[in-house]
Amino acid sequence: MSEVTHASAAELLEHSRQWVDAELFACALRLEAEMPGRLGEAVAYALRSPGKRVRPALLLAAYAAAGGRDEAIIGVATAVEIVHTYSLVHDDLPCMDDDALRRGRPTTHIAFDTALATRVGYLLVPFAGEELARSARAMGLPDTAIGAMAVELFEAGGIRGMVGGQWLDLEAEGERLDLQRLMAVHRGKTGALIRAAVVLGGLAAGAPPGALAALRTYGEELGLAFQVADDVLDATATSEVLGKTAGKDAEVAKSTYVGLLGVEAAREAAARHEALGVAALQAAGVPSEALAALARYIVTRSS
Ligand code: GRG
């Protein structure tokens, strides 16, 4: 596996994008062959949509920081991106955020239809599980490690993570949440999968308990920072730059960091979470310029 500890965030993301895109496109081809017709086309459309690939980049950097060197790790990173892809397809559905634009293209239910987009999401979840297990086995990881990785990913995707956070978020529309409740939404909806990406990198590399705990703290802090930065971008950037509809939070009166604190204080909050995450790694002696660079990118990104 190529060395990633000294690269800039832009290089890390480009490396991750090229590597994970090749895997995602291969998955899309396989699924299209297995499911001829509109369903196969819709799954492939979702898998091929051009994201930033932040979660795979975090996973690859955490894996390298914990001493991992096996190239089959890309399959584990792809599994996390597939769970993320499902969440975007479902998040955009009319029964959730009801959005027509994602990653600069029509959302899956607009390009196809709502029933197909719903099925695409449901198909992608077990497919991510297969991808995770297949890659972890190819790496020769013991069943205990594979089990721990599966629990990490699917708990993060479930009621104690992404589904739970999204649920709270949808229920709270039009309501003014205090900072504590808003943090719980952000930690679940967005933070849990980002934390899982980082922890999976550590688990796959066989990181010792202290390093794993530090990676978990880093993932937790950066997951929160990611959504705070997202709140700022929703309020300050254009749809063209974001590739998704900007200004949506204000439109549906969603509680956000920007709504509660204002843009500047929200930016400062994101930077505080970045600092806490990076400090946890330093305190545990986990050396990673790559994870520090990605943390900086997460809070300063423009899309
Ligand atoms: C059953 C209630 C229920 C929920 C289903 C759909 C869902 C689970 C959860 C939605 C989670 C979600 C989409 C959270 C937003 C996370 C977020 C900030 C996404 C944008 O991530 P980026 O910027 O996007 O990394 P790209 O496009 O670059 O991959």
Side-chain angles (χ1 to χ4, degrees), residues 164-165 167-169 171-173 175-189 224 255 257 260:
W167 193 292
L168 289 174
D169 198 28
E171 283 203 326
E173 266 176 26
E175 199 187 319
R176 190 173 164 87
L177 297 181
D178 62 25
L179 200 56
Q180 282 310 107
R181 285 180 69 200
L182 184 60
M183 279 170 82
V185 170
H186 281 15
R187 280 210 172 95
K189 182 178 80 162
L224 196 47
S255 289
Y257 266 67
L260 282 186

Side-chain angles (χ1 to χ4, degrees), residues 51-52 55 84 86-88 90-91 96 103 162-163 166-167 189-190 226-227 230 244 301:
K52 296 187 290 294
R55 293 152 193 81
H84 172 57
Y86 124 75
S87 81
L88 299 182
H90 275 197
D91 188 48
M96 294 210 206
R103 294 171 162 174
M162 189 166 70
V163 167
Q166 175 82 342
W167 193 292
K189 182 178 80 162
T190 304
F226 191 95
Q227 182 59 52
D230 213 72
K244 61 181 180 179
R301 65 203 166 93

Side-chain angles (χ1 to χ4, degrees), residues 32-112:
E32 263 180 326
E34 260 181 56
M35 293 179 289
R38 296 281 287 166
L39 185 56
E41 279 175 43
V43 172
Y45 179 84
L47 286 174
R48 291 195 189 110
S49 69
K52 296 187 290 294
R53 316 303 188 210
V54 172
R55 293 152 193 81
L58 285 167
L59 191 150
L60 296 174
Y63 180 67
R69 293 290 175 267
D70 192 325
E71 299 217 340
I73 189 63
I74 192 59
V76 178
T78 303
V80 174
E81 186 66 17
I82 292 171
V83 172
H84 172 57
T85 302
Y86 124 75
S87 81
L88 299 182
V89 171
H90 275 197
D91 188 48
D92 291 331
L93 288 173
C95 64
M96 294 210 206
D97 273 7
D98 191 13
D99 220 314
L101 182 69
R102 174 70 73 176
R103 294 171 162 174
R105 311 188 319 172
T107 47
T108 309
H109 70 277
I110 296 292
F112 294 85

Side-chain angles (χ1 to χ4, degrees), residues 1-262:
M1 197 175 123
S2 55
E3 184 55 73
V4 293
T5 45
H6 296 289
S8 71
E11 286 168 324
L12 291 162
L13 286 162
E14 180 57 20
H15 174 254
S16 153
R17 195 182 58 70
Q18 284 186 12
W19 211 14
V20 85
D21 279 6
E23 282 291 310
L24 287 168
F25 278 55
C27 291
L29 270 181
R30 278 209 317 273
L31 287 172
E32 263 180 326
E34 260 181 56
M35 293 179 289
R38 296 281 287 166
L39 185 56
E41 279 175 43
V43 172
Y45 179 84
L47 286 174
R48 291 195 189 110
S49 69
K52 296 187 290 294
R53 316 303 188 210
V54 172
R55 293 152 193 81
L58 285 167
L59 191 150
L60 296 174
Y63 180 67
R69 293 290 175 267
D70 192 325
E71 299 217 340
I73 189 63
I74 192 59
V76 178
T78 303
V80 174
E81 186 66 17
I82 292 171
V83 172
H84 172 57
T85 302
Y86 124 75
S87 81
L88 299 182
V89 171
H90 275 197
D91 188 48
D92 291 331
L93 288 173
C95 64
M96 294 210 206
D97 273 7
D98 191 13
D99 220 314
L101 182 69
R102 174 70 73 176
R103 294 171 162 174
R105 311 188 319 172
T107 47
T108 309
H109 70 277
I110 296 292
F112 294 85
D113 60 53
T114 298
L116 270 179
T118 307
R119 286 173 206 151
V120 165
Y122 290 143
L123 263 163
L124 288 178
V125 179
F127 187 68
E130 279 177 46
E131 183 73 8
L132 175 76
R134 195 185 50 72
S135 316
R137 288 220 172 92
M139 294 169 76
L141 295 177
D143 283 351
T144 45
I146 300 177
M149 289 162 70
V151 168
E152 193 68 41
L153 178 57
F154 292 107
E155 273 198 5
I159 194 68
R160 285 185 293 280
M162 189 166 70
V163 167
Q166 175 82 342
W167 193 292
L168 289 174
D169 198 28
L170 292 169
E171 283 203 326
E173 266 176 26
E175 199 187 319
R176 190 173 164 87
L177 297 181
D178 62 25
L179 200 56
Q180 282 310 107
R181 285 180 69 200
L182 184 60
M183 279 170 82
V185 170
H186 281 15
R187 280 210 172 95
K189 182 178 80 162
T190 304
L193 191 60
I194 289 182
R195 185 197 62 223
V198 176
V199 173
L200 282 174
L203 285 171
L212 203 57
L215 288 169
R216 188 178 292 283
T217 303
Y218 167 92
E220 179 90 26
E221 296 296 340
L222 268 298
L224 196 47
F226 191 95
Q227 182 59 52
V228 177
D230 213 72
D231 287 359
V232 171
L233 288 171
D234 184 77
T236 57
T238 62
S239 302
E240 204 181 9
V241 170
L242 293 181
K244 61 181 180 179
T245 314
K248 210 59 203 296
D249 296 338
E251 192 187 305
V252 297
K254 198 175 263 194
S255 289
T256 66
Y257 266 67
V258 171
L260 282 186
L261 306 173

